[in-house]
Every structure is written in structure tokens, then in C-alpha cells.
Amino acid sequence: MLSLDHILKSGRIRLLGLLLLLWSSTGLAQQVEVHVNGDYPRLKENAEAFIGEVEGRSASNLRRYASTAVSQAGKGLRALGYYSPTIDWEVEDGDSEETARLILDITPGDPVRVKSRTVEIRGAAATDSHFTDNLPDHPAEGDILNHGDYTSLRNVLQTRARRRGYFDGRLVTRTLKVDPEALEAHITLVFESGDRYRLGAVTFEEGHWFESRLLHEFVTFEPGIPYHADEVAKLNSDLLGSGYFSGVDIDAGPSNAENGVIPVQVGLTRRDPRSISTGLGFSTDVGPRFRGTWREHWINQMGHKRGAETELSGPRQNLSTWYELPLDPPMTDLIRFTAGYQREDIENVESDLLTFGQQWQHQLDNEWLQVLSLRWEGERFNIGDDEKGTSTLLLPGIGYSKLHADSPLDPSRGYRLQFNVTGSHRAALSSVDILHINAVAKGLFTLAGKHRFLSRVQIGGVGTNRFEDVPPSLRFFAGGDQSVRGYGYQTLSPENDNGVAVGGRYTVVGSAEYQYQFAEKWRAALFVDHGNAINDLFDPLATGAGAGIRWISPLGPLRLDIAKGLNPEFGGEWRVHFSMGPEL
């Protein structure tokens, strides 16, 4: 063990070394200055980048270095098409306070322009529109020659060849001819693609434990299709996303090809069977809350799963369990059996809800997710001691949803559409006839990288012959973090004679929000919300408006809003709202 005296002494040594380093560095500064006559900021930046840092040199040393600096600056200008610059230099001697400086004075001259551009694709890729279309526009005829653009064009051809399976492809001609005196450049690229390789059969290495049938249902391509790197990447992503594996290793390299067909070999590492996670959260709707999740990621070789979740907060406590069977394809299709218990005590509405159900989830060819469900609900409720009851409902339902976003946690554009219909009938194990409809649409787009516009619309309705027998879980309430801000959670609702919110037959809620990104992870927001839960579609709606701030955390945006409810007759006031999660 190191003694305290040794630690202190070594600390002093390190501190002394740091002070000496700082003292010695005070005299170091970039000693080459580049001046470009005219408005050419990119030329100046490129010349400086080619020269690099020059420090700690004497005036005589700088004079010897001048020819090198001129040569490097010239290379920086040629990279951007200026082949005939005039570069003068002088050295200013330093003194006790300033170091010597080498000053380059550059007159760029006239640039070289692209006189001709020829890009020719030969072989099988010549008829592949995905290969030949949308090649980079630059360098184009008439452009000032930019060597970076030329290199980028070459790289695009080679990258596309690898992605689309033209592994024998090569640039048989790649010439850039520059005539500095005529100020002309001629570009010729001829790419010989050869034949396109194909993907072969997928085989899984031994030791994965699961049924082969299940694993092959993750394969979305048929043997013999033309190679595309995205097909291999999707297989890798789907296997990892299944939750069954901690590692996926796919070998689909052209070195294993036979007669142009690449066999796909997959090695899998099974993950631990169980996991437990817990978390603490907070929102102004329900206050502090605790969430716990237990999952069994695989139960048998058929890939069945099960789990349990609980969420505990002041106004709401629930416990739910589920059992899941994968279907074909297992990435999107499944059957889930569920059971749960929930207790709520929110704004004079008490409810105890017991549910059992089954869901069949299937993704349609148009990417809409379809969910067919059948659930039984038993609910005991008490609304302000004025309405007490017990309901028993058998609720078949159907739902459709679609999410399109360019990022799962913090998208810059996208939309979410969701539509659900459930119902019950007294002739089918139910205490009341109900038709329940709810639709939600959200949209997001971004302008110029910093200006974000969000919108949200919710419309819902309950059709029934006895509304007083409809349990609170199927009535509509509005207000709160995710509804109309500036009003308490679920306080917007028709009231009974004693002023207790009892829930409405309909809900209409809309929201518009503007966000401005003022720092890398921070945005400011302005918003207006408008809506209510009502019994008549012509009943008045409530409005809330305010401002907020967003922090883009690794788990998604955290939102802090200050809102003013503009309708005091509905309980509107200044309120603080805090919530988190994706905006779509």
C-alpha cells in the first residue's frame, strides 16, 4: 500500500510538471498566417489545413520552412481547383513578447473548371436502375474542379457495388486530366461491374437450442435473390431484436461464394433466460411512480415468452402479466394472453378493474399493424359517492396503428396514426351495450434542422343505451400532461349536480406546438392545446397555452412546461407539467 507521504510527493511532482508544461506552452502559437486576397474563406481554410500547426520555430528556421509552407498551401488550393496561385511570403522577426511569424500572401488566380464528365457503367449494373440513378451531381460540367467531389463520386460507385452484390466490380478507367494553362479538367470514370452475386440458403450453426422452424421464420428473403447488404443487415437486426440472443454473427462474404451464390451462415449466442428491471419516474399527472418488470425471454424451443409488470403511484396501482407466442413472421406477428388488476383513485373517481384477454397482432403488407382482441373486464367503481356500480363486460375489439419516424427516440419527422374500436352486448356476457371508438393522430416535421412543428388530434366516442352503467375506464376524461395542459389530470369532463367530474360520451382534443433547438440537446417550446371531454359535440371546449423546455436524454425527450388554462370556468390556471417519452 502506498504511504500518504508518497502520494503527496507524487502529487507535487505531477503538479510541478503541469505548471512547467503550461508555462512552456504560453510561448507557443501558430506561426504561419495565411492571407488570401478576395472573398475565398474555403481556400484559406484548406491552405491552413494542409500547412498544419507550426510552432516553436525561430525566424531563420521559418525562412528555411517557407518553401515547404508555400508548397503545402499550393496543394490546398489545387484540391479546390486553383492551380495557378501567386504566393508571396515574408517572415516577421519576433521579440520578447511575440514569436516570429511566416506570412503567406495568396492571390488565387483563375480556377480550373470541369470541361467534360463521363461516367460509364458496364456489365450487369448498367441495367440496374438502383445502381445507375441518383449518382452525385458534382463535379458537373462547368463546376470549379473540386478533388473531394471527384473522390466522392468514385467512392459512391464502389460503395454501391459492395452493397448491391457486384463484388467483382472495378473502375477500369478513372482519370482526372487537368490542363492548368487552359483552365480545363476532364473526368472519365468507367466502372465494369461484372455479374451480380446472389444470396444462398441460410444455415444456423449448432448450439442455438431453438427450433429451426422458428429461426428460419426470421429470414425474409428467398435463396437465389440478388444480393443486397440491407437483407443481411435486416436479418441481423431482427434476430437481435427478438430478445432471444445476446450475440448474432452473420457470415455472408463473397469469398464463400460458389458460382456467384453466397451461402449465409449464422452463429447465435443465446441470452440469459430472465431479466428484472426497475425504475423511478415522475409526471405531474400521477406524481412519483415506481415501475418494475420481470421477463422470461424464452421458455421453450418454440420461443414462447412471459412476463409481469407493475406500476405504483399515488393515484394508480396496477399489476399485469402476459404470455406470448410468436407467429410467422415473429418480428411483427404474435398472440398474447394477458391478465391484470388496476386500482385508481383520481379526482373523486375510484375504480377497481380486473381484466383477462387475448390479442392477435399481425402486420399487414401496407405496414399497418392490426390487433384483434377479446377481453373480459370486471370493474367496481364509485364516482364521488353519487354513482356506484359494478360492470361485467366481454369486449371484442379491433385496432389499427402505423408509426413512421426517422428515429425511434428523437425523430425529426414522422407521424403516428391509431384507431381502436371495442364493444359489448348484453346478449354476450355483458351488463351493458357499448360501442367504444378512439382515434389518435400525431405529426412532426422539422425545418432547417432547428424549427420543429408538432400536432396532435384525438377524437373518441361512446355509444350506449345506458351511459350511467358504462364504467369509468371506458368514459372520456381530458386535461393533463398528454391532453390539455393548464388543467389538472382528468379534470375536464361533464360534472354531476354535486360538481364531480363523471366522464363524457365524447372527447375532442387538439394540440399545436413549435420547438426551437437552441443547443445540441436543448429545445424551447411554445404550444396551444384545445379540447374537452363532453356529452354533446357542440359543448364548449377548453384552451390552454404556454411555454416549455425540452432536454433530449438518452431515453427520449424530457418535457417541462408552464401552461395557463384560459378557461377558469373549467378550472384553468397556471400549472407546471413534467413528462417524458417519445413525441410520436
Side-chain angles (χ1 to χ4, degrees):
M1 179 179 293
L2 294 176
S3 67
L4 178 61
D5 182 64
H6 177 81
I7 294 172
L8 291 174
K9 288 180 179 178
S10 62
R12 292 192 194 101
I13 292 172
R14 286 194 295 269
L15 178 60
L16 178 60
L18 178 61
L19 291 174
L20 289 173
L21 177 63
L22 292 175
W23 176 80
S24 62
S25 66
T26 56
L28 298 180
Q30 171 67 354
Q31 291 182 269
V32 178
E33 291 186 10
V34 176
H35 298 162
V36 179
N37 298 316
D39 185 18
Y40 300 98
R42 290 192 63 195
L43 294 185
K44 183 176 186 298
E45 291 172 4
N46 228 43
E48 291 173 341
F50 270 70
I51 293 170
E53 294 292 328
V54 178
E55 298 172 342
R57 295 178 183 247
S58 64
S60 59
N61 189 286
L62 285 176
R63 291 185 179 91
R64 290 192 297 271
Y65 176 73
S67 60
T68 300
V70 168
S71 174
Q72 292 299 104
K75 291 179 181 179
L77 268 63
R78 284 196 296 276
L80 296 179
Y82 290 81
Y83 273 69
S84 304
T86 300
I87 305 178
D88 298 320
W89 62 269
E90 66 172 331
V91 173
E92 292 186 353
D93 295 333
D95 54 28
S96 59
E97 295 184 358
E98 293 186 1
T99 58
R101 293 184 302 162
L102 170 62
I103 300 175
L104 302 185
D105 187 79
I106 301 175
T107 300
D110 294 327
V112 171
R113 294 186 179 271
V114 177
K115 181 69 174 180
S116 66
R117 161 180 154 150
T118 301
V119 179
E120 182 181 351
I121 311 298
R122 299 175 181 172
T127 57
D128 183 351
S129 61
H130 292 287
F131 188 98
T132 58
D133 291 352
N134 299 316
L135 290 172
D137 294 329
H138 302 285
E141 293 182 6
D143 285 354
I144 295 175
L145 176 63
N146 185 313
H147 285 255
D149 290 343
Y150 168 71
T151 301
S152 176
L153 177 59
R154 281 173 26 204
N155 291 341
V156 165
L157 293 172
Q158 295 167 327
T159 300
R160 285 190 184 182
R162 290 191 296 270
R163 286 185 60 82
R164 299 191 62 79
Y166 299 100
F167 292 110
D168 296 330
R170 61 191 183 94
L171 282 164
V172 294
T173 302
R174 52 174 188 178
T175 60
L176 171 59
K177 296 181 178 179
V178 179
D179 186 343
E181 294 183 0
L183 299 176
E184 294 178 354
H186 301 269
I187 295 171
T188 304
L189 295 174
V190 180
F191 187 83
E192 179 66 59
S193 72
D195 293 330
R196 187 176 182 183
Y197 282 58
R198 296 182 177 273
L199 285 169
V202 178
T203 58
F204 294 90
E205 297 177 1
E206 295 295 328
H208 55 71
W209 186 75
F210 293 93
E211 286 185 351
S212 294
R213 176 193 59 80
L214 172 65
L215 298 182
H216 280 92
E217 287 173 351
F218 284 95
V219 182
T220 58
F221 57 85
E222 296 293 332
I225 71 165
Y227 179 95
H228 198 299
D230 287 354
E231 295 287 355
V232 179
K234 184 177 187 304
L235 177 59
N236 184 85
S237 175
D238 289 343
L239 288 168
L240 281 174
S242 69
Y244 299 135
F245 309 106
S246 60
V248 176
D249 182 19
I250 299 181
D251 184 2
S255 60
N256 300 324
E258 294 184 7
N259 299 320
V261 178
I262 304 175
V264 181
Q265 298 177 333
V266 183
L268 300 170
T269 303
R270 190 166 32 135
R271 69 171 298 167
D272 293 336
R274 301 173 188 86
S275 66
I276 297 176
S277 62
T278 60
L280 295 175
F282 178 85
S283 73
T284 45
D285 282 349
V286 298
R289 66 175 182 268
F290 167 82
R291 174 169 297 198
T293 302
W294 171 82
R295 289 179 179 269
E296 195 162 3
H297 302 283
W298 44 265
I299 300 170
N300 51 38
Q301 293 177 324
M302 296 178 289
H304 293 189
K305 306 177 182 181
R306 62 188 170 198
E309 299 174 356
T310 184
E311 183 175 334
L312 305 175
S313 64
R316 179 190 297 133
Q317 306 85 45
N318 66 58
L319 173 66
S320 61
T321 62
W322 52 270
Y323 190 99
E324 191 174 289
L325 293 73
L327 300 177
D328 184 13
M331 301 81 69
T332 56
D333 291 20
L334 57 89
I335 291 177
R336 173 176 280 209
F337 300 94
T338 60
Y341 170 78
Q342 176 175 286
R343 175 172 177 76
E344 283 190 343
D345 185 358
I346 299 173
E347 294 294 331
N348 297 314
V349 178
E350 300 178 14
S351 170
D352 292 276
L353 175 64
L354 182 65
T355 63
F356 298 93
Q358 176 185 345
Q359 297 176 340
W360 173 45
Q361 177 177 298
H362 171 62
Q363 185 164 341
L364 305 177
D365 293 338
N366 57 12
E367 297 187 350
W368 281 84
L369 192 66
Q370 173 186 273
V371 178
L372 302 178
S373 63
L374 179 66
R375 74 180 188 271
W376 177 90
E377 290 189 355
E379 185 168 357
R380 184 174 57 206
F381 58 90
N382 179 8
I383 303 177
D385 293 327
D386 298 321
E387 294 183 40
K388 297 182 180 181
T390 301
S391 67
T392 301
L393 302 173
L394 184 66
L395 294 160
I398 185 170
Y400 292 92
S401 63
K402 187 173 185 178
L403 172 63
H404 179 77
D406 57 4
S407 170
L409 287 180
D410 184 39
S412 63
R413 61 182 63 246
Y415 61 86
R416 177 188 288 274
L417 303 174
Q418 190 168 339
F419 179 77
N420 296 286
V421 179
T422 57
S424 65
H425 197 279
R426 285 173 293 175
L429 304 177
S430 299
S431 56
V432 61
D433 300 338
I434 295 175
L435 177 64
H436 190 278
I437 301 174
N438 191 44
V440 177
K442 297 181 179 180
L444 164 66
F445 70 94
T446 303
L447 294 177
K450 294 181 178 293
H451 305 276
R452 294 163 57 90
F453 300 87
L454 296 89
S455 62
R456 167 175 49 90
V457 176
Q458 179 188 3
I459 299 174
V462 178
T464 180
N465 54 348
R466 286 181 57 84
F467 185 75
E468 59 270 23
D469 291 336
V470 176
S473 62
L474 294 176
R475 302 184 187 187
F476 290 102
F477 297 83
D481 302 341
Q482 307 297 324
S483 181
V484 183
R485 286 163 286 188
Y487 301 85
Y489 179 50
Q490 295 193 357
T491 58
L492 291 176
S493 158
E495 299 178 348
N496 63 15
D497 295 338
N498 294 323
V500 176
V502 298
R505 290 175 177 266
Y506 309 103
T507 188
V508 179
V509 174
S511 177
E513 181 168 317
Y514 164 73
Q515 297 179 0
Y516 175 74
Q517 184 163 343
F518 60 89
E520 182 179 359
K521 297 292 185 180
W522 294 90
R523 302 185 185 116
L526 297 172
F527 58 85
V528 176
D529 301 335
H530 188 60
N532 207 341
I534 50 182
N535 283 332
D536 189 297
L537 292 176
F538 295 98
D539 286 346
L541 306 180
T543 302
I549 194 166
R550 311 285 181 262
W551 175 56
I552 315 306
S553 77
L555 300 178
L558 294 177
R559 295 179 285 271
L560 178 64
D561 293 323
I562 300 176
K564 176 68 166 69
L566 304 182
N567 299 92
E569 67 273 20
F570 292 131
E573 59 182 354
W574 286 103
R575 298 186 69 91
V576 175
H577 296 274
F578 178 82
S579 60
M580 68 175 296
E583 293 177 317
L584 289 179

